[in-house]
Amino acid sequence: VINQLVDNPTILRWGYPKVKEIFLSYVTMGKSYYQSDPFGAGRMILVLLSILRIIDVDVTSIHPMLKQHRTSINTTVMQHLLLKHRKEQRILCDIERHFTSRNSAAYPSLIEEPHP
């Protein structure tokens, strides 16, 4: 199911409750499964970031005004992921570019905390 989410960038047809359920289930199972595998944990986080990117692209295509708001996805965390394969690194680079671009929007994220 996770592969279907990542490979099919139009997940809205599933509905957000289903995507949320899959996302949270993957987090729960992945944390215990990859507990002692830093490369597996890196892949798990990569999949989760991929899903978040897909959701962001889908939602902003339906509601373009959201593109004026940042996402609050912290891209600095991405540089610390351990990834074995060049393909994974390219995917991460694309995700980082996407969220860096989105976080340069003029308005704050809808869930962003104010900075002092």
Side-chain angles (χ1 to χ4, degrees), residues 70-72 108-114:
R70 295 184 289 273
T71 66
S72 292
S109 163
L110 301 176
I111 58 170
E112 189 173 300
E113 294 185 18

Side-chain angles (χ1 to χ4, degrees), residues 16-88:
Y16 284 111
K18 181 68 174 171
V19 173
K20 178 183 175 185
E21 176 190 331
I22 293 168
F23 186 89
L24 294 176
S25 295
Y26 186 68
V27 169
T28 302
M29 292 186 315
K31 280 195 314 190
S32 61
Y33 186 79
Y34 295 120
Q35 188 172 11
S36 60
D37 178 4
F39 289 106
R43 275 191 313 277
M44 179 188 83
I45 294 168
L46 182 64
V47 168
L48 296 172
L49 288 169
S50 296
I51 294 169
L52 290 175
R53 178 179 183 228
I54 292 165
I55 291 170
D56 183 60
V57 169
D58 278 355
V59 169
T60 56
S61 71
I62 294 169
H63 304 287
M65 191 178 286
L66 289 175
K67 289 181 182 179
Q68 298 174 15
H69 294 269
R70 295 184 289 273
T71 66
S72 292
I73 302 289
N74 184 352
T75 58
T76 59
V77 174
M78 296 177 194
Q79 64 186 311
H80 300 290
L81 293 182
L82 294 177
L83 301 170
K84 282 185 184 180
H85 305 287
R86 190 174 297 268
K87 181 179 180 180
E88 295 169 338

